[in-house]
Each structure stands twice: as C-alpha cells, then as structure tokens.
Amino acid sequence: MPAGHGLRSRTRDLFSRPFRKKGYIPLTTYLRTYKIGDYVDIKVNGAVHKGMPHKFYHGRTGRVWNVTKRAVGVEVNKQVGNRIIRKRIHVRVEHLQPSRCTEEFRLRKKKNDSLKAEAKARGEVISTKRQPEGPKPGFMVEGAQLETVTPIPYDVVNDLKGGY
Amino acid sequence: MAFVKAQKTKAYFKRFQVKFKRRREGKTDYRARIRLINQDKNKYNTPKYRFVVRFSNKDIVAQIISASIAGDMVLAAAYSHELPQFGLEVGLTNYAAAYCTGLLLARRTLKKLEMDEEYEGNEEATGEDYSVEPAETRRPFRALLDVGLVRTTTGNRVFGALKGALDGGLDIPHSDKRFAGFSKDSKQLDAEVHRKYIYGGHVAAYMRMLMEDEPEKYQLHFSEYIKRGIEPDDMEELYKKVHAAIRADPTAKKSEKQPPKEHKRTVSLGLAGGLLGLNIGGWSANAARRPPPPPPEEKQDPNLSGVQAKVLASKKRKEAMKEFAAKQREKGKPINEPSEQQ
C-alpha cells in the first residue's frame, strides 16, 4: 500500500511533544494577548488537536490579521509555483508564540528616539544610521623578531632522490 | 536478606517527567485552572476574576483573583479570622462563617470599586436563590467560583461562601443545585432549610441535642461557646448582628502587630559556626537553603582511597551534626536546618 498524503502525514516526529514535556501545557500560552499587526511564530503543539495549522506552516512567522475568541488569524507567505501567495489561516493560541523578529528593531527605534531627543536638547545634529563593520584599523605588530631567510643553492647531488 | 531487584533504576529516573510543582504539592487542579483563566482573545487584556474559596482546618480564605503572566493578582481578600472584628468569635469554619466571609469579601470588593451604593444585594438572608440585577449605570461585578480540589457535594461550605458573595452583590454564575437544603427528589431548593444553615441553625440543633443527651460532650465540644455565654437560641441574633456589622463597614483593618525582626527559623551564623567546631566555611544557617556540601579537605593519608576518604568525611559530618543537636537541646533552642540535614 502506498503512503497516503493526508492532512497530518509525515508528522510523526514533527508534532510529537519534546522529551519530558508531555501533558498539560504551561498557562502563559493562554494568558498572552495578540493584537492585529503583531508578528507571531507558528509552532504546533501536538497535545492540542483543535486549531492545528497544516504542517507546512510549522516554523513560519506571520502577521496577525484577525483575533477571535480562542484563535488568531495569521497571514503567512507561501511559495506556490512561481509566485508567493499571502495565505490567511486561523490558528489556536496554543500553537503560537510571539515573535522576536522585530524586537531588535523596536529597541533600536526607542534608543534612537531618545538619542535624537537628547541631541535636539543640546542643539547638535547626529546621525543614528547603522554603519556596516568597516575594515580593521591599522596596528603596529609588537614583539616580532626579524629572521632573514635566503634561498640555498640547489644541490643536484644530494637533492635529487633516486639517482640521476 | 534476600536479593531484592531495584525497582527504581537509573533509567527510571532519567525518563521520569515531574508534574508541575503545584500539582506535586497537590494544591492546584490545572485542568480547572486552564478553563477558569482562559480569556477570549478578542477581549484582549480584560481581566477575568475568580472567586477563590479555600478552607483550612481553622480558617476560611476568600479572595478575588485575576491571573497574569507575572503571577496572580489579588483584588480583595477576606479571612474568617477577621470575623471577630464584626462580633463573631467562635465557629469560624462552619457554614454560617463561610456565608459571613463571602459576604464580607463581596462588600469589600464593591466598596473598593465604588459600586457598593448601587449593588446592595440581598439585605435579608432568606436562603432563596438570589441573583444580582444589573443597575442603570454599571454592570455588576462578575467573578467565577473557584473551589479548588474540594468535592462539590450538596451543602458544602464553599457554596455557603458563594451564597454570601451573591447576597453581597457579586455576579457569580451558579445554580441552586448544591446549596444546603436542595433535595434531589423534588429537585427544588428548600429555602427554609438553607436559611437555617446560613444562621447556624444546624449547629444550634446539635447543641440542643447534646445538652439533653450528653452534657459532658457538650461541655467538651462547645466549650468556647459556653465560655462566651452563647446559647443555641442566640445564634440567629448573633449572625444577624454580624451581617449588619459587615454591611456597615467592610474595610480591612491593618494589624497593629510588628513583623518580627528576625525570622524565627533563622539562627545567627556565629552561633552555628561556633558550635560546629569544624571549619566548614561554606555553610549558611539559612533555614530555606540546604547548606552546600563542605569542600573536601586535603587527604591526610595518601594511602586512603577516594571512597574511604569520602566515608571518613561523612562520618565526621555526622558527629558534628550530633554535637550540634545535643548542644541546641541543652540550650533549649529549636533544632533547625543545619542539624536536621536530610
């Protein structure tokens, strides 16, 4: 009999709970709130059977476009053939985690705002643009001993192995 | 002794998954907790309040709690050991006391939220099923009953507390099936019987019965009542007064007692160190932490194998334990963690 292609096919290990983490899931997953426009990571929790997304979406990150009583609508990009479609799925909160992909950006935004405000107070103009890492600066080499190396003349008699 | 096959092998421990801490302690029912706390996502940060009732052997705790990721936040709490302030000094864990505690909590929360004028609740406790009607300006305060691990039988004291809170003016979804006085056959709540329980009528009946049949047991069992001169016929009056006092001023009073300067289980480090005699510098006498094992001393005898050195060291530690315990006993001080190392 050939292998089927059902909804949860090939998910034996993907959807299984990790070692020694079976049973009731910790309650913070239920206490988190999601707003429209937030980024969320989809990570399927095999212990909760309702509102499970398809295995394709496991590990994807998307934006929230809808909030319902127990689930959240997530917009995920999927490549279909030669184009990328924005797919809208509904996922229960047990299969979601808030994404940290924009965390660095938001922190930087806050810091830049405060830096700009300070600079304005002082009357300076500063640039808060990120600069790429440039080449390493020059440095003096310390503790080097000079050793002069000269080539030795080629000695046909000794260097040629196996006779000539 | 015959060879016994070890039941709990190393493999057993390697695969063992511990339950949640509060489940191991037997204090929280997570199945119920998940269902009580789960708030609709489209209500975002609106708190969902639980009316928590817990009984200990000598006290009743009633709290209004909302859950958060940092930890549960208590909005208001009422304990039955506060009831002496309102005139009730005995019988602090019976059905009537539970009713008073629930009532006290309800009035306290409403006062805190400034809704106590609008929602008076049921002034006269009749034992009938009473639900708050929404007033014009604000909707009533809604909470969900959280019984914990109690078996919810008809006439349980948690439902006494529930009745108190309902009559106090809180909106708690309920049914009258579990109130004292509900009969399974007629499927109706007998309000008279429930009213008797609310005013301690069942306790009064027992008192009367004992007074007639077994006076010695009556003296023994109800000694505190007798000391305060409470007769079975006074019970209803007493509870009416308590309810009125609660409605008059439900605010919590801060206790005047000072917190103790030194926690009673902690022994100062100098005392413990001096008595021990051995140079075990890493020990702290804090009762909460098990002291770390003493650092291994240099091997006096290079011929001693590692195992034998450990055995010697453990023997030395046990001697030190015994000395310390004996000295503590001499001084009459409580023997605490360092000497009770398990």
Side-chain angles (χ1 to χ4, degrees):
Chain A
M1 256 189 75
H5 302 290
L7 189 64
R8 285 181 63 168
S9 73
R10 303 163 193 174
T11 58
R12 176 177 184 173
D13 292 326
L14 188 64
F15 286 178
S16 66
R17 299 287 292 135
F19 183 54
R20 289 193 300 169
K21 294 227 165 72
K22 302 203 207 307
Y24 280 112
I25 65 183
L27 295 214
T28 35
T29 30
Y30 295 101
L31 290 171
R32 286 199 210 279
T33 54
Y34 298 99
K35 296 221 180 77
I36 295 182
D38 287 351
Y39 284 92
V40 288
D41 298 335
I42 298 180
K43 187 172 164 200
V44 175
N45 185 325
V48 179
H49 302 141
K50 291 194 166 185
M52 248 195 212
H54 185 258
K55 66 175 191 284
F56 168 80
Y57 299 102
H58 181 90
R60 309 280 158 180
T61 306
R63 272 184 61 250
V64 175
W65 64 276
N66 184 20
V67 176
T68 65
K69 197 162 109 154
R70 298 267 181 251
V72 153
V74 185
E75 207 174 39
V76 180
N77 290 337
K78 180 176 187 182
Q79 177 174 9
V80 179
N82 61 345
R83 69 207 189 281
I84 297 185
I85 301 182
R86 291 215 305 252
K87 304 219 49 166
R88 295 188 150 192
I89 54 175
H90 282 93
V91 182
R92 268 202 176 215
V93 294
E94 293 93 331
H95 310 290
L96 291 177
Q97 285 170 358
S99 182
R100 293 181 64 184
C101 59
T102 49
E103 180 184 317
E104 189 252 331
F105 169 65
R106 270 183 278 127
L107 286 177
R108 193 163 53 86
K109 208 161 69 154
K110 241 184 4 181
K111 198 166 70 126
N112 286 348
D113 287 344
S114 68
L115 283 177
K116 285 205 183 118
E118 275 177 34
K120 192 159 178 191
R122 278 177 302 175
E124 295 174 7
V125 175
I126 54 164
S127 160
T128 52
K129 286 184 190 280
R130 292 173 294 176
Q131 293 294 336
E133 234 180 79
K136 282 193 295 217
F139 59 97
M140 293 296 282
V141 176
E142 300 287 321
Q145 265 123 8
L146 286 180
E147 185 187 327
T148 313
V149 179
T150 49
I152 50 174
Y154 185 59
D155 191 355
V156 178
V157 176
N158 292 328
D159 290 343
L160 253 189
K161 290 210 173 100
Y164 61 99
Chain B
M1 196 181 120
F3 178 72
V4 178
K5 187 177 164 109
Q7 285 290 91
K8 288 184 178 175
T9 60
K10 196 160 153 198
Y12 166 83
F13 288 112
K14 280 189 167 197
R15 309 211 96 245
F16 187 76
Q17 180 186 339
V18 284
K19 298 185 169 38
F20 289 161
K21 171 152 149 223
R22 287 213 115 215
R23 169 63 189 87
R24 277 178 274 140
E25 294 171 1
K27 291 183 183 171
T28 303
D29 173 7
Y30 278 96
R31 181 177 194 275
R33 187 174 155 84
I34 287 179
R35 285 154 177 75
L36 280 168
I37 284 179
N38 208 353
Q39 174 68 290
D40 297 352
K41 292 301 147 214
N42 45 11
K43 294 186 184 159
Y44 298 100
N45 279 322
T46 315
K48 201 166 192 177
Y49 293 104
R50 302 181 285 144
F51 170 59
V52 170
V53 186
R54 298 283 186 268
F55 288 84
S56 81
N57 283 340
K58 295 187 194 164
D59 196 7
I60 307 178
V61 181
Q63 296 168 312
I64 302 269
I65 303 184
S66 70
S68 81
I69 295 181
D72 286 0
M73 304 290 179
V74 178
L75 181 66
Y79 300 86
S80 73
H81 62 68
E82 295 177 29
L83 291 176
Q85 285 170 22
F86 300 94
L88 180 68
E89 304 193 324
V90 279
L92 294 178
T93 52
N94 60 25
Y95 198 96
Y99 180 91
C100 295
T101 313
L103 178 64
L104 176 58
L105 177 68
R107 296 315 296 167
R108 223 173 244 178
T109 49
L110 290 178
K111 181 141 194 194
K112 198 167 194 177
L113 301 168
E114 287 161 27
M115 290 208 279
D116 53 348
E117 311 291 318
E118 279 178 71
Y119 290 104
E120 292 287 346
N122 200 4
E123 305 258 344
E124 176 73 36
T126 52
E128 273 171 14
D129 194 11
Y130 170 81
S131 293
V132 190
E133 266 123 58
E136 283 81 57
T137 45
R138 293 169 76 165
R139 283 177 300 124
F141 182 83
R142 194 183 189 92
L144 305 173
L145 178 65
D146 180 345
V147 290
L149 291 154
V150 146
R151 184 73 188 91
T152 50
T153 50
T154 315
N156 197 317
R157 292 170 291 167
V158 295
F159 300 109
L162 171 66
K163 186 76 180 119
L166 290 169
D167 287 352
L170 296 186
D171 177 18
I172 304 177
H174 65 283
S175 109
D176 54 0
K177 183 166 124 174
R178 292 295 177 199
F179 287 136
F182 184 86
S183 93
K184 263 201 313 185
D185 313 318
S186 74
K187 293 216 188 351
Q188 265 192 350
L189 175 65
D190 188 346
E192 270 307 307
V193 175
H194 197 203
R195 187 184 178 288
K196 235 175 46 119
Y197 269 79
I198 290 174
Y199 286 111
H202 56 307
V203 180
Y206 186 53
M207 279 169 91
R208 286 192 199 100
M209 191 195 84
L210 278 188
M211 272 202 293
E212 281 194 30
D213 300 340
E214 291 172 70
E216 307 93 36
K217 190 164 174 194
Y218 173 71
Q219 296 289 333
L220 192 66
H221 202 74
F222 288 103
S223 58
E224 292 287 315
Y225 284 74
I226 295 169
K227 217 182 343 182
R228 288 175 177 78
I230 298 178
E231 299 285 310
D233 305 318
D234 304 335
M235 300 276 277
E236 186 160 328
E237 278 299 309
L238 175 66
Y239 283 111
K240 278 212 175 93
K241 277 208 214 103
V242 175
H243 296 162
I246 289 176
R247 280 184 182 272
D249 181 20
T251 47
K253 281 188 213 31
K254 277 204 158 296
S255 150
E256 273 94 39
K257 285 194 286 194
Q258 299 290 331
K261 273 190 242 26
E262 202 183 72
H263 195 275
K264 45 187 173 169
R265 274 179 298 174
T266 315
V267 170
S268 64
L269 189 56
L271 185 65
L275 282 172
L276 278 171
L278 280 178
N279 178 23
I280 304 179
W283 277 30
S284 112
N286 193 333
R289 266 180 282 127
R290 180 200 286 263
E297 293 138 24
E298 281 114 51
K299 255 193 239 183
Q300 273 87 1
D301 185 356
N303 294 331
L304 259 185
S305 75
V307 174
Q308 287 176 332
K310 277 191 197 155
V311 169
L312 252 186
S314 114
K315 277 201 188 132
K316 278 202 192 126
R317 256 181 279 140
K318 286 205 179 104
E319 299 295 313
M321 249 9 75
K322 287 195 192 136
E323 272 180 46
F324 179 59
K327 290 223 170 80
Q328 292 283 64
R329 232 172 263 132
E330 248 181 56
K331 300 202 170 194
K333 285 220 170 73
I335 302 175
N336 49 18
E337 176 71 48
S339 62
E340 281 176 0
Q341 200 181 33
Q342 280 146 9

